Amino acid sequence: MNQASVRTFACPVHKTAFVDGLFCPSCNKAYPEANGIPVLINEANSVFLISDYLTKKAYGGASSYAGSLDNITGLRKIYRRAMRYLSESAPMKEFSINDAVEAVLSAKADAEILVIGAGDTSIRGNATYTDVAFGANVHCIADAHDLPFPERSFDACIAVAVLEHVAAPYRCVDEIMRVLRPGGYVYAETPFMQPVHMGAYDFTRFTYLGHRRLFRYFEEIHSGISGGPGTSAGQLIRYALTSVSDKPSIKKWLKLVGLVSTVPFRWLDKISDSNISAYDSASGFYFFGTLSQEPISDRQLLGYFRGG
Ligand SMILES: [Zn+2]
């Protein structure tokens, strides 16, 4: 078993550490495991059911993250490879998840880091990975609305491309604050001008200031654009093209045409991302900060505006 398996899990309803295995005396039940992974969901606050993970009807996020190429061949494989190559966003980030992790580890070498909605993410350091889908590194199935850890369990929390997929993002940030130790770090990347992705599991977008407000109990270390206006424009054009038909066989090729024809928009990001105007139509934003005692007020918030 890996390192995090000895870490303290808590009841997702009562937030108290389990006394024996995954047994919660207040719930008077033991939470189950699936594939050796604890399934720690508070069903009252979640779109997911524990039983889904036990009966293999679970949310298929993991396979969509991984996009396995192993069991397809021939033209389909070439098509899939081309799609993946063209889908990869431009490497223009001024600050990324790894920069945040390095900053945390340079402040505290043995920092305990929680990665929410981990997918196939892998970071340096003492990390615990949670997700609503099974993944290579996932230590427990957890919904960010109710993190199954006692309060003050972690030195840092990471949530990349997560908060658009939760029904109540403010509640999830409250949970992040609960499991963080005083002065703990948060790093989040969240979309702004992005079309719907992952189907029904997509709820919210944030402006730069809206994202800042979400983390109003945190003092900022770094924040900015995680995907520029060129990324936004390219995605929107691709989605507009594929909206021409509802037939999957046609949509597939429209998607490829869209991906090829919008490649020049990536260069736009390289030019515009240094401009403050880029904040008005960015694809997404990142925020990196530390937990503070006092929130910034909504009136103060206006002073944090960035835009053209
Ligand atoms: Zn309980």
Side-chain angles (χ1 to χ4, degrees):
M1 293 289 270
N2 50 33
Q3 197 178 11
S5 63
V6 296
R7 184 156 295 121
T8 306
F9 290 121
C11 168
V13 177
H14 299 96
K15 314 294 165 71
T16 46
F18 292 123
V19 288
D20 178 27
L22 300 175
F23 183 80
C24 172
S26 304
C27 291
N28 194 30
K29 72 166 185 179
Y31 284 78
E33 288 188 352
N35 309 325
I37 307 293
V39 182
L40 306 177
I41 284 177
N42 178 2
E43 293 183 330
N45 285 329
S46 182
V47 298
F48 303 103
L49 292 174
I50 290 173
S51 59
D52 290 343
Y53 296 90
L54 308 177
T55 56
K56 301 191 191 300
K57 283 192 297 186
Y59 169 66
S63 56
S64 62
Y65 293 130
S68 175
L69 288 168
D70 297 341
N71 46 14
I72 55 170
T73 52
L75 256 182
R76 291 190 79 189
K77 192 164 189 164
I78 293 166
Y79 173 82
R80 195 74 76 83
R81 280 241 168 92
M83 294 293 271
R84 184 183 288 188
Y85 174 76
L86 290 166
S87 303
E88 276 164 13
S89 55
M92 38 54 66
K93 289 179 188 174
E94 52 166 20
F95 192 86
S96 69
I97 177 172
N98 288 330
D99 297 312
V101 169
E102 292 311 312
V104 169
L105 293 178
S106 66
K108 188 180 179 186
D110 62 346
E112 293 182 78
I113 304 176
L114 175 65
V115 184
I116 301 164
D120 56 3
T121 304
S122 180
I123 59 164
R124 218 163 69 75
N126 184 6
T128 298
Y129 301 94
T130 72
D131 204 338
V132 291
F134 297 108
N137 301 319
V138 170
H139 294 112
C140 77
I141 298 292
D143 185 319
H145 295 89
D146 290 280
L147 294 171
F149 304 98
E151 63 179 31
R152 302 185 176 195
S153 291
F154 297 98
D155 300 295
C157 283
I158 290 172
V160 172
V162 170
L163 294 169
E164 76 272 32
H165 296 297
V166 300
Y170 274 90
R171 181 186 170 90
C172 297
V173 175
D174 284 347
E175 277 292 272
I176 287 172
M177 288 163 55
R178 183 182 64 78
V179 301
L180 276 178
R181 299 188 175 117
Y185 295 83
V186 73
Y187 177 77
E189 286 179 23
T190 315
F192 173 38
M193 301 292 280
Q194 279 183 26
V196 167
H197 54 281
M198 289 192 174
Y201 302 93
D202 193 351
F203 296 93
T204 316
R205 297 292 181 270
F206 289 93
T207 62
Y208 174 77
L209 218 49
H211 200 230
R212 184 65 190 89
R213 187 175 193 275
L214 194 55
F215 296 103
R216 65 200 185 285
Y217 279 90
F218 290 81
E219 202 172 301
E220 178 183 322
I221 301 170
H222 278 292
S223 72
I225 289 171
S226 59
T231 303
S232 307
Q235 272 197 324
L236 200 59
I237 288 169
R238 292 196 292 276
Y239 270 67
L241 277 173
T242 54
S243 72
V244 167
S245 174
D246 283 334
K247 287 185 178 152
S249 57
I250 296 174
K251 286 176 81 74
K252 189 172 83 171
W253 293 106
L254 286 169
K255 195 175 171 186
L256 187 59
V257 169
L259 279 168
V260 172
S261 62
T262 56
V263 164
F265 280 100
R266 294 184 199 187
W267 303 327
L268 198 65
D269 279 353
K270 292 191 204 303
I271 301 164
S272 61
D273 274 6
S274 56
N275 297 333
I276 203 76
S277 300
Y279 281 78
D280 291 335
S281 59
S283 175
F285 300 109
Y286 71 87
F287 178 83
F288 180 50
T290 57
L291 194 54
S292 67
Q293 303 291 330
E294 285 292 313
I296 54 173
S297 70
D298 286 342
R299 192 174 172 78
Q300 284 175 309
L301 187 72
L302 297 180
Y304 290 78
F305 175 73
R306 292 183 194 173

